[in-house]
Amino acid sequence: ESCGYLGLPIFGADIVTLPGNKHLVALDFQPVLPLDNDDDGKQKPSLFPRQYLQLEEKLQTIHSKYQKSSSDSTPLLPWGGDIPPQATRFFSPYALWTRLSDENAMDTVDTVVWQAFQEYTDLYLELMGAVQDDVDAGKLGLGAQTDDSDNPVLDGQIEYLEYRRTNDPARPMLQRLYGNEWSERVIGDVLFPDL
């Protein structure tokens, strides 16, 4: 790509432990740009730029290892349930999303979730290394952009930050623990600041 902007996904990892042995896990390569099918709807949307599709195939394999199941087996991590429609824009087809609460939940977090986290992290670092190699070799045509008014990647990042500032699911818990003022400051200034 030589458009000056590279719509790479953002690595997202939320591993939350709640009282009562409840655990929420979301690991994803979150899309910055909307994942739309091509015009005839025959081609599945691509999360990665074309030159890195072999890494997207690796991500699909990793995801299938943990979340997909064949007819004769159960997935290593059960699907966590429907993602709210307003949030689906920010999840890839390879999101690992689970809720754990059985007697083995902590063991699952310590083993299966940890392994999945390592594999997702390693692949993201591999993607970033490949991109850096291409930048160093002059293959991407990325240059300093002086005008951000027509930058779809920046627009996607801003859209995500605005969504999370408004809809952060941790807000009620943070408010109960630390109060409204502190919670809003952390959500708006630390977790999801303006760009």
Side-chain angles (χ1 to χ4, degrees), residues 28-49:
D28 197 13
F29 284 47
Q30 297 177 291
V32 170
L33 302 173
L35 296 178
D36 296 324
N37 285 321
D38 62 351
D39 292 337
D40 62 10
K42 293 180 183 175
Q43 185 176 340
K44 81 173 189 160
S46 178
L47 177 63
F48 291 17

Side-chain angles (χ1 to χ4, degrees), residues 11-18 22-27 98 100 106 109-110 113-114 116-118:
F11 179 65
D14 291 301
I15 303 171
V16 179
T17 297
L18 301 170
K22 294 179 183 173
H23 310 273
L24 308 175
V25 177
L27 302 174
T98 193
L100 304 168
M106 196 64 225
V109 170
D110 287 343
V113 170
W114 177 243
F117 173 79
Q118 289 177 307

Side-chain angles (χ1 to χ4, degrees), residues 5 83 97 105 108 142 150 158 166 172 186 189:
Y5 303 107
I83 294 170
W97 159 232
T108 302
L142 298 175
D150 188 28
I158 290 169
T166 304
V186 166
D189 297 341

Side-chain angles (χ1 to χ4, degrees), residues 180-191:
N180 288 348
E181 183 180 331
W182 183 90
S183 299
E184 294 306 315
R185 198 169 57 245
V186 166
I187 289 169
D189 297 341
V190 177
L191 298 175

Side-chain angles (χ1 to χ4, degrees), residues 55-183:
L55 295 174
E56 185 167 347
E57 290 170 4
K58 285 176 88 170
L59 178 59
Q60 182 178 13
T61 299
I62 293 168
H63 177 264
S64 293
K65 174 180 171 181
Y66 292 100
Q67 202 102 68
K68 300 287 185 196
S69 66
S70 63
S71 59
D72 59 341
S73 68
T74 57
L76 292 173
L77 295 171
W79 179 245
D82 290 342
I83 294 170
Q86 68 273 21
T88 57
R89 149 74 179 92
F90 303 109
F91 285 86
S92 82
Y94 314 112
L96 286 180
W97 159 232
T98 193
R99 298 171 194 247
L100 304 168
S101 61
D102 64 14
E103 64 277 356
N104 298 318
M106 196 64 225
D107 288 338
T108 302
V109 170
D110 287 343
T111 57
V112 178
V113 170
W114 177 243
Q115 291 166 0
F117 173 79
Q118 289 177 307
E119 289 187 58
Y120 268 60
T121 302
D122 289 346
L123 183 59
Y124 195 78
L125 293 173
E126 184 177 347
L127 172 62
M128 293 300 105
V131 170
Q132 187 62 56
D133 290 346
D134 287 349
V135 168
D136 292 346
K139 293 180 181 178
L140 291 180
L142 298 175
Q145 301 297 319
T146 57
D147 180 16
D148 285 333
S149 64
D150 188 28
N151 181 337
V153 172
L154 180 61
D155 292 346
Q157 291 171 336
I158 290 169
E159 183 184 356
Y160 174 76
L161 291 169
E162 288 173 353
Y163 171 78
R164 289 300 303 262
R165 272 193 299 273
T166 304
N167 300 289
D168 193 302
R171 178 178 272 112
M173 177 187 66
L174 291 172
Q175 289 174 335
R176 276 193 309 276
L177 293 171
Y178 304 107
N180 288 348
E181 183 180 331
W182 183 90
S183 299

